[in-house]
Amino acid sequence: MSADTVIHRIVRPVVRLMAPTRVTPNHITTLRLLTGIAAAVALGAGNTVWLMTGAAIFLLSMLLDRADGELARQTGQSSVGGHRYDLASDCFSNIIAFIGIGIGQMERLGLLALMLGFAAGIAIGVLFWQLHVLRIGQVRGYRLAPDILIDPDDLLVFVPLLIWAGATVPMLFAAAIVTPVAALWLSFTGLRRKDDAPGL
């Protein structure tokens, strides 16, 4: 994962202000987890006001996701345990966000919305497992322009943007299709790499 994406640059000035304080990366990770849960609850409430609020909280949670690692690097507080806590919080927060969106759209789509939310959420969990536990792929930044670097999970910024634009249902359908396909593709390419590796 890159440490100099657009979102890292957005949070960096605030993190610099926090660096001399007693705030630790794990404090921020815990806040990331709590805001992730709050976003999922708000997204699941179903009405427009809560949906828009949930999208804003989700965006804040994404910024906190970058801030904890940034603070760890700036203050030399990086640790294996902190990294694992960060990954678990990120994974859980993203899974429940999509389940929350599915619950919130049940009035419009019935049980299909719940199925779509679970499909996207579970696939996100599978992708995290593949990338961070099985290590069958690499998460790397993509340079869109000389000063614009993004990680694949930065694309989650489109979730609140699409909700605010009134495209919650199309976004939910897209997430429920694209995310499982990405997990299957990663499994397939990971198995091919394993098969192509020279024998011992």
Side-chain angles (χ1 to χ4, degrees):
M1 251 179 150
S2 175
D4 196 32
T5 67
V6 172
I7 297 179
H8 284 100
R9 292 181 184 189
I10 290 170
V11 301
R12 196 164 286 152
V14 177
V15 171
R16 280 196 195 107
L17 294 174
M18 284 190 290
T21 71
R22 293 184 179 180
V23 175
T24 69
N26 282 349
H27 290 149
I28 298 177
T29 302
T30 301
L31 189 56
R32 190 301 199 238
L33 180 59
L34 293 174
T35 54
I37 293 168
V41 171
L43 291 166
N47 68 53
T48 303
V49 173
W50 280 112
L51 187 63
M52 299 299 164
T53 303
I57 299 170
F58 184 85
L59 185 57
L60 171 63
S61 194
M62 278 191 68
L63 294 172
L64 291 168
D65 172 28
R66 292 296 185 246
D68 56 6
E70 187 66 28
L71 181 62
R73 282 183 292 277
Q74 285 190 24
T75 59
Q77 297 183 69
S78 299
S79 69
V80 173
H83 179 64
R84 287 178 180 163
Y85 180 37
D86 177 37
L87 286 177
S89 299
D90 296 346
C91 182
F92 182 72
S93 297
N94 291 333
I95 288 170
I96 63 171
F98 280 98
I99 293 172
I101 293 168
I103 291 169
Q105 296 306 303
M106 284 180 68
E107 192 173 313
R108 294 174 70 181
L109 300 176
L111 280 177
L112 176 60
L114 188 61
M115 291 167 59
L116 293 171
F118 268 95
I122 290 169
I124 285 173
V126 170
L127 280 169
F128 263 79
W129 182 263
Q130 290 170 322
L131 292 168
H132 300 291
V133 178
L134 299 179
R135 298 185 185 277
I136 60 172
Q138 290 183 340
V139 180
R140 63 183 179 88
Y142 293 90
R143 194 162 296 283
L144 301 180
D147 291 327
I148 301 177
L149 181 71
I150 63 165
D151 275 337
D153 60 342
D154 288 343
L155 297 176
L156 287 172
V157 75
F158 285 106
V159 171
L161 296 178
L162 289 168
I163 289 171
W164 290 330
T168 306
V169 170
M171 182 271 301
L172 184 58
F173 271 99
I177 294 167
V178 172
T179 315
V181 167
L184 286 170
W185 178 81
L186 192 56
S187 293
F188 175 72
T189 55
L191 287 172
R192 280 189 63 188
R193 263 189 236 113
K194 199 172 181 183
D195 289 341
D196 293 342
L200 298 175

